[in-house]
Amino acid sequence: MNHSTEEIVPYIREVGLQKRDSWKNLYRRIYDHQFLYCFCGIIHIQIEERNYEVKQGDLVIIKPNVPHKLWLDEDVQGELYWFHCDLFPYQDKKWHYTFYNTIETYVTLFGNELQYKEHIRIDPVFENDIRFPEYMTMKDQETTEYLFRKMYKAYTYEQKNWQLLVRGYCYELLYSILRQMGDTKKRDLSKVYEVNRMKSYIAKNYYKPISVQEICNVTGFNVDYASRFFYKMTGKKLKEYLNGYRVEQAKKLMIDRDLKFADIAEMVGFKNENYFSTIIKRYEGKTPAKLRESLIELLLLDDK
């Protein structure tokens, strides 16, 4: 079930500063969310099998019931601010503080599973399938640092109405995170649109002697930038995708035995039959002749 960000009512139960404590050899699990922000140094965090070298300006969100390890770099002194919180209102919101601050119960967090399933919080999915990331580098590091310091000060010195104060700071932090995620998502959607424009151009013009430059021109970006984000979004270089598309079109034509390979090569945009044969062998692992026989055999099997 998706949640609205308007449902967020953070309850911060504890705020701290970590300089030495670590658990490198054992996985820990927690019942709520823990936000950690690196002010300086290097902190190593392993979440399941994913390893992060956390440096100044990096934010990590440890999610409920997800195994993780944490240790500080021995050569570079680190400074890590953190807080535990609920993102939504819960009846048992005070249970966790007592649990975390009692040594006999805290050590059970390092077992294979959490004992009290009814106290495990959900990790929400918001509108447009947005989730809080487990790792990100904050753009506005000055503001992020300010918010963590103010939260720590309010909690540590038990300032009057500290819970209201830290909730306000937390709202500002969450807004900053979601805004940055939204900007990233918008950029990714924009790139998806441009990639689709390039694919569409290829589909309409593959039979012509088009170049990578011409394909990139439809985006309005320079060829290096457009080629890079095409590769990032598809896992294929533009020339590789173009040749692959031409091969797929050629395979449709190969079923017609009356068509010569030289004619097929020209019809799908390859400059000559030799180059066509080289690409077919590279992509299909067969010569054009053997590929044609295989395709016709498959067609006959389908007709039976």
Side-chain angles (χ1 to χ4, degrees):
M1 182 181 90
N2 283 18
H3 290 264
S4 167
T5 53
E6 295 179 1
E7 297 176 56
I8 296 176
V9 182
Y11 174 79
I12 292 80
R13 59 178 45 88
E14 196 171 5
V15 187
L17 169 62
Q18 197 150 335
K19 292 185 177 181
R20 294 184 179 83
D21 187 30
S22 63
W23 51 96
K24 184 177 182 179
N25 299 317
L26 291 172
Y27 278 111
R28 186 188 74 159
R29 299 169 190 263
I30 56 177
Y31 288 89
D32 56 358
H33 286 80
Q34 185 179 17
F35 288 68
L36 308 99
Y37 185 70
C38 182
F39 277 52
C40 64
I42 299 175
I43 293 92
H44 302 276
I45 297 180
Q46 181 178 339
I47 302 176
E48 294 180 320
E49 300 302 319
R50 300 175 293 280
N51 293 289
Y52 300 104
E53 186 176 84
V54 182
K55 299 178 181 179
Q56 182 179 6
D58 291 342
L59 176 80
V60 176
I61 304 175
I62 305 295
K63 300 183 179 184
N65 201 25
V66 176
H68 57 278
K69 299 178 182 179
L70 181 150
W71 64 99
L72 280 69
D73 195 291
E74 296 178 357
D75 299 322
V76 184
Q77 184 177 0
E79 190 171 285
L80 187 72
Y81 281 74
W82 55 265
F83 64 88
H84 280 272
C85 74
D86 290 339
L87 295 173
F88 306 108
Y90 289 94
Q91 296 269 328
D92 62 343
K93 62 184 181 182
K94 295 185 178 180
W95 178 89
H96 300 74
Y97 179 83
T98 304
F99 189 91
Y100 290 160
N101 286 278
T102 305
I103 187 64
E104 291 81 8
T105 52
Y106 180 77
V107 295
T108 65
L109 299 178
F110 295 89
N112 291 326
E113 61 180 19
L114 295 175
Q115 296 179 356
Y116 303 99
K117 303 292 190 294
E118 68 274 20
H119 295 295
I120 299 174
R121 302 318 195 207
I122 63 166
D123 183 47
V125 180
F126 298 106
E127 304 95 331
N128 300 317
D129 291 325
I130 290 178
R131 295 175 182 265
F132 283 117
E134 62 183 23
Y135 170 86
M136 69 189 302
T137 300
M138 299 301 294
K139 287 183 177 178
D140 190 350
Q141 296 179 12
E142 183 177 345
T143 298
T144 306
E145 184 172 328
Y146 167 81
L147 293 171
F148 270 89
R149 287 196 188 279
K150 296 294 284 187
M151 291 173 74
Y152 179 72
K153 182 179 179 181
Y155 174 82
T156 304
Y157 295 102
E158 296 184 348
Q159 293 178 347
K160 187 177 181 179
N161 299 319
W162 72 265
Q163 183 61 246
L164 286 175
L165 281 172
V166 296
R167 179 177 291 175
Y169 298 138
C170 186
Y171 269 127
E172 193 170 345
L173 175 67
L174 296 177
Y175 173 75
S176 181
I177 294 169
L178 290 168
R179 183 180 60 187
Q180 184 170 323
M181 289 171 61
D183 290 344
T184 301
K185 196 172 184 69
K186 286 177 184 176
R187 287 196 300 272
D188 286 345
L189 287 173
S190 174
K191 288 178 181 177
V192 168
Y193 172 72
E194 297 300 345
V195 164
N196 286 336
R197 288 182 69 192
M198 287 189 274
K199 287 181 176 180
S200 178
Y201 184 84
I202 288 170
K204 293 175 182 176
N205 298 280
Y206 69 91
Y207 57 91
K208 302 175 183 177
I210 56 175
S211 65
V212 169
Q213 176 73 61
E214 289 176 73
I215 298 168
C216 291
N217 284 345
V218 303
T219 69
F221 298 117
N222 68 60
V223 65
D224 289 336
Y225 179 71
S227 296
R228 280 200 305 274
F229 73 67
F230 185 93
Y231 179 78
K232 182 179 179 181
M233 303 298 286
T234 67
K236 294 181 179 180
K237 295 180 179 179
L238 258 172
K239 191 69 174 179
E240 178 186 1
Y241 179 87
L242 172 60
N243 283 335
Y245 190 90
R246 284 170 166 166
V247 167
E248 291 303 312
Q249 303 311 307
K251 286 162 67 176
K252 296 174 185 177
L253 298 171
M254 282 184 179
I255 296 169
D256 185 350
R257 288 185 182 275
D258 293 334
L259 286 175
K260 297 179 181 179
F261 291 130
D263 295 331
I264 294 174
E266 184 179 354
M267 291 168 72
V268 299
F270 289 111
K271 56 188 177 182
N272 57 58
E273 186 178 352
N274 287 337
Y275 184 59
F276 169 72
S277 297
T278 300
I279 296 298
I280 291 292
K281 186 76 180 292
R282 182 186 304 166
Y283 280 70
E284 298 295 326
K286 298 177 181 179
T287 63
K290 289 186 177 179
L291 178 60
R292 167 176 269 171
E293 294 306 317
S294 297
L295 293 170
I296 291 174
E297 284 178 19
L298 285 173
L299 185 63
L300 292 173
L301 286 172
D302 289 340
D303 289 341
K304 290 182 180 180

